[in-house]
Amino acid sequence: SLPVALVFLLVLLFVAGAGFKLHHKDCNSSVSRASEVSEDSVAMPRKLLRVAVHRTEAREPEKPSSGGSALPRGIVQATSDLEMVSMVGDPEQQGGSRPSKSLLAIPVGIKNKAAVDKLVSKFPADRFTVMLFHYDGAGEEQWGDLEWSRRAVHVSALGQTKWWFAKRFLHPDVVAAYDYVFLWDEDVEVDAFDPLRYLDIVKREGLEISQPALDRRSEIHHGITTRALLRPGAEGGGDVHRRFYKPAAGWGGGGCDDSSTGPPCAGWVEIMVPVFSRAAWRCSWGMVQNDLVHAWGLDYKLGHCAQGDRTLKVGVVDSEYVLHRGVPTLGGTEGKAAAFRVAVRRRSFAEMQIFNRRWKEAAADDASWTDPYPYTSSQIC
């Protein structure tokens, strides 16, 4: 029995060894085949390899570039201007360095063409770019006989206001090239006004938001806008005044004195002929509401955009003044003009209430913001 058992044991060892060798050979074959596939992949044509890689990457989510944007940082031109550009020639040679300029933007109707011509002609072409907002449907072709019309930018939208145009076409990134933005009404006479002298005074006085004083013959809504040299008891005799004085009107005050720090006694201009620095306009544009087209109430908050103390950075320039004729321009047909103006005034007042409500809600919702100009009794709104 011993030899039989020994033979059986030897048979088992042979079979096991054969099985081990067979399994080991299979593993080697697998490794060999994998190696062969890898070598074949390396030997693939480069074009096919790039296609394979591209298909793999296409299945992955898009990753931002190192600059956190879809574009390389150096190619981004975030700002623009309103200057005319030739369709021929070398653009890099044509660009070059340009003189410092400001922007004059005016809403216009064809009925006031002569007055607008006189107004725009006061602004030197080499120092000012002109933009006309046509609210009556009369476009560039009806203004083309004026010398400066071809260099002006014309935008037309029937029945829209100055602030509607400004919100849509004077984005701060578009007008970033201009030192100052003059956003004026069209019914202004400029016989006593020189824009270059005006800007010299504004820069010297450090005014970020300003307006020319109004000739006393003007339609005047707030005393602070009247030319100080002609107003008894007012600050000055100089080129600029920044506050207005008047006695308290009856019980409850309401006057303007040296302690007054807010509109309409100090730090305030009206919205008929405002002038903004580049930084002040960027801030102010953001405050203009898209759906509130008359901007009533906005003037009381412009001081927040004065880049500092509004009692110092906001002022009225007396030595360069204008005459505001107060002519109703944007209106209905002749027979319905009076009723339309009443409706406009009603809408304007409603907009002021809406703007004030939005301001209060925004101030309450933003816990990180502190109003540097809390409400005072001198503010009449």
Side-chain angles (χ1 to χ4, degrees):
S1 60
L2 183 59
V4 173
L6 183 59
V7 171
F8 181 76
L9 179 61
L10 291 173
V11 171
L12 287 177
L13 289 173
F14 175 81
V15 172
F20 173 78
K21 288 180 180 179
L22 178 62
H23 178 71
H24 182 69
K25 181 179 180 181
D26 290 342
C27 288
N28 287 340
S29 299
S30 298
V31 172
S32 177
R33 285 195 298 269
S35 177
E36 291 172 4
V37 172
S38 178
E39 290 174 358
D40 290 342
S41 297
V42 173
M44 287 174 64
R46 293 182 180 273
K47 182 177 180 181
L48 294 179
L49 185 61
R50 285 198 298 269
V51 171
V53 173
H54 176 72
R55 287 175 178 171
T56 301
E57 291 178 348
R59 291 193 295 269
E60 298 177 355
E62 183 180 354
K63 298 178 180 178
S65 66
S66 59
S69 169
L71 300 175
R73 188 178 294 112
I75 200 64
V76 175
Q77 295 290 303
T79 62
S80 184
D81 58 40
L82 299 169
E83 301 307 299
M84 303 295 185
V85 177
S86 173
M87 292 189 291
V88 297
D90 187 335
E92 292 185 329
Q93 288 186 357
Q94 291 173 349
S97 60
R98 294 175 176 172
S100 175
K101 298 183 75 173
S102 294
L103 175 68
L104 171 64
I106 318 171
V108 299
I110 197 66
K111 290 184 178 180
N112 293 302
K113 183 177 179 180
V116 173
D117 180 31
K118 189 176 179 181
L119 169 59
V120 173
S121 297
K122 272 277 188 168
F123 288 75
D126 62 332
R127 296 290 300 278
F128 289 88
T129 294
V130 177
M131 189 174 192
L132 299 187
F133 301 138
H134 299 278
Y135 59 75
D136 62 350
E140 181 178 359
E141 64 282 355
Q142 292 173 269
W143 292 76
D145 59 320
L146 301 179
E147 178 274 330
W148 48 264
S149 179
R150 289 181 62 84
R151 61 179 171 84
V153 178
H154 298 261
V155 179
S156 180
L158 189 63
Q160 301 307 306
T161 70
K162 175 172 73 173
W163 295 97
W164 183 94
F165 283 106
K167 187 63 176 179
R168 286 152 183 83
F169 300 104
L170 296 184
H171 188 282
D173 288 347
V174 174
V175 300
Y178 304 107
D179 295 335
Y180 293 89
V181 175
F182 289 62
L183 188 56
W184 283 18
D185 290 353
E186 62 183 321
D187 56 337
V188 176
E189 295 183 5
V190 289
D191 293 338
F193 180 81
D194 183 296
L196 297 184
R197 287 202 300 262
Y198 179 89
L199 287 181
D200 286 342
I201 294 169
V202 164
K203 293 172 184 177
R204 186 190 70 220
E205 296 286 335
L207 300 179
E208 297 285 331
I209 301 176
S210 63
Q211 73 161 83
L214 300 185
D215 187 293
R216 206 169 175 80
R217 297 169 296 163
S218 303
E219 179 179 346
I220 296 172
H221 303 286
H222 296 277
I224 195 172
T225 64
T226 311
R227 191 179 179 214
L229 294 176
L230 302 178
R231 189 176 62 246
E235 173 193 14
D239 289 320
V240 173
H241 70 271
R242 295 175 171 83
R243 60 175 57 251
F244 172 63
Y245 297 88
K246 72 171 184 177
W251 184 84
C256 297
D257 52 34
D258 286 326
S259 64
S260 302
T261 59
C265 301
W268 187 79
V269 299
E270 205 167 356
I271 57 176
M272 66 184 71
V273 284
V275 179
F276 303 88
S277 71
R278 183 188 297 111
W281 175 246
R282 180 170 290 277
C283 172
S284 300
W285 182 91
M287 189 165 47
V288 178
Q289 305 291 289
N290 193 61
D291 57 333
L292 306 183
V293 297
H294 295 291
W296 276 31
L298 182 72
D299 48 355
Y300 279 77
K301 301 300 183 184
L302 286 178
H304 287 76
C305 294
Q307 314 301 301
D309 186 346
R310 67 183 177 185
T311 63
L312 300 176
K313 299 288 188 177
V314 181
V316 179
V317 178
D318 294 299
S319 55
E320 300 299 326
Y321 58 97
V322 298
L323 174 65
H324 178 223
R325 294 185 291 121
V327 178
T329 53
L330 191 61
T333 59
E334 293 297 330
K336 299 180 180 179
F340 185 84
R341 287 196 292 272
V342 171
V344 165
R345 191 169 186 84
R346 188 180 299 117
R347 159 90 186 215
S348 300
F349 185 75
E351 285 193 3
M352 181 175 67
Q353 293 178 311
I354 293 170
F355 178 82
N356 289 340
R357 187 194 73 231
R358 290 179 183 178
W359 180 277
K360 291 177 182 178
E361 290 173 352
D365 291 343
D366 190 348
S368 65
W369 183 79
T370 301
D371 193 345
Y373 306 116
Y375 178 83
T376 63
S377 60
S378 65
Q379 294 175 316
I380 305 169
C381 199

